Amino acid sequence: MNGDLSKKHKAISSSVTLAIDAKAKKMKADGENIINFGAGEPDFKTPLNIRKAAIKAIEDGMTGYTAASGLQNLKEAICEKLKNDNLLEYTPENIVVSNGAKHSLHNALLAICNPGDEVIVPLPYWVSYPELVKLADAVPVFVETQEKDDFKYKKESIASAITPKTKAIILNSPNNPTGTVYSEEDLKQIAEIAVQHNIYIIADEIYEKLVYEGKHISIASLGDKIKDLTVVVNGMSKCYAMTGWRIGYAAANKEIAAMMANIQSHATSNPNTIAQYASIEALKGDQAVIADMVNAFSERKEYMVKKINSIRHLSCRMPRGAFYVMVNISQVIGKKLNGVTIKNSMDLAEYLLSSAKVAVIPGSGFGTDEFIRLSYATSMDNIKDGLDRIQKALI
């Protein structure tokens, strides 16, 4: 029938994260006092120097199209950043600037995948990974990670998931939703497997600057062979509080980068020109704002983890990066709270939103029903109030 819509796109799941966040924001707009732990963005203003750079670009008339893959000056600034921060040598030909890191992930998967290829995805996963894989006509293969292992891939688990159809491994460090940060030794084991089997790595490093213990290491820095197989994805949103500016970027070998640029040229053309000029200032300007944010997030994280572990039936591990806590709710599932039976993470999320006016993200959105995710990208006052409400709601 000619009127049928795309079967492929009908099969794409909607984002639970965005759905809960939208419901909470609507309740707040309707006058309800909502504490929102669902936010996936810093609660800080974009730094003044970055905002001023955008205004200057507008006033100077720098508002036309750029090359589809981004401004040359921005690509050069990205190369300088990758060299200084990650010990990675790239030229502008290796860089594709896109409409956010999610767009970079999409381009990368489209560039490397053929129908039926398999892409290894960690479970729990960021909500968009499986759907991005499906949009590329590939198949997500989930490798479960365990809380006791800090939600890290185990070498044996990856090895057992590899088949002749395996095309890539998605690696997210620091991790959303778990806060996991992979050590150099962890990354060496993954790199060894990828090189041995000639498998690509999609390295999502968007939370790179938000690390509280140890330091971020890019898997691409561990040798020429793994670098050639890796697409490094990063962006401006998390560490510069530029979520709405929609600038992400990818670094890859020249063949992959050229294909990603060609895909983007037909799909969206260039990312926002004004935001690109602002991003140059972000990368080259004063970096003190990052340390200020990390310090604030660290203080909130310490309070949140201690408080959660004091609440009956809840527990969590200390995250080492990003700004999320995965809360184990296995002891709550099956219980009746104020007449409501909690059968899964969505039940608990809906119960907390309706009874305590607190928004959390159900673990089902990340492929696991025994957890909920809380973001500490909100004020300490909100964290204290919200966790007190959760504690009362669970009595």
Side-chain angles (χ1 to χ4, degrees), residues 100-233:
K102 186 185 291 191
H103 189 200
S104 296
L105 292 167
H106 183 51
N107 285 341
L109 287 163
L110 288 177
I112 67 172
C113 290
N114 289 303
D117 282 348
E118 295 175 352
V119 177
I120 292 175
V121 177
L123 194 161
Y125 46 72
W126 176 52
V127 293
S128 291
Y129 287 148
E131 310 314 316
L132 288 169
V133 171
K134 292 175 194 173
L135 284 169
D137 287 321
V139 179
V141 174
F142 301 110
V143 170
E144 188 170 358
T145 65
Q146 302 293 329
E147 186 179 22
K148 64 182 176 63
D149 299 322
D150 284 329
F151 299 106
K152 291 180 181 179
Y153 279 128
K154 300 293 283 184
K155 183 178 180 180
E156 303 75 21
S157 300
I158 293 177
S160 64
I162 292 173
T163 75
K165 293 183 178 181
T166 305
K167 178 60 70 76
I169 300 169
I170 291 180
L171 176 68
N172 179 209
S173 177
N175 183 273
N176 174 12
T178 65
T180 295
V181 176
Y182 283 78
S183 69
E184 184 172 358
E185 186 54 39
D186 298 325
L187 296 172
K188 282 180 178 178
Q189 292 185 8
I190 296 169
E192 184 183 331
I193 293 172
V195 170
Q196 179 186 348
H197 294 277
N198 200 35
I199 296 169
Y200 292 111
I201 299 285
I202 308 292
D204 183 351
E205 302 183 358
I206 189 67
Y207 293 96
E208 169 196 7
K209 300 287 188 179
L210 304 179
V211 175
Y212 311 105
E213 297 175 37
K215 62 178 182 178
H216 170 76
I217 297 170
S218 177
I219 193 170
S221 69
L222 301 181
D224 290 341
K225 289 182 179 178
I226 190 61
K227 180 187 175 188
D228 191 57
L229 288 169
T230 301
V231 181
V232 177
V233 173

Side-chain angles (χ1 to χ4, degrees), residues 18-28 34 350 353-354:
L18 295 178
I20 291 287
D21 193 48
K23 186 174 181 180
K25 285 176 178 174
K26 183 181 184 308
M27 291 172 70
K28 191 167 187 175
I34 303 293
E350 290 179 342
L353 189 55
S354 62

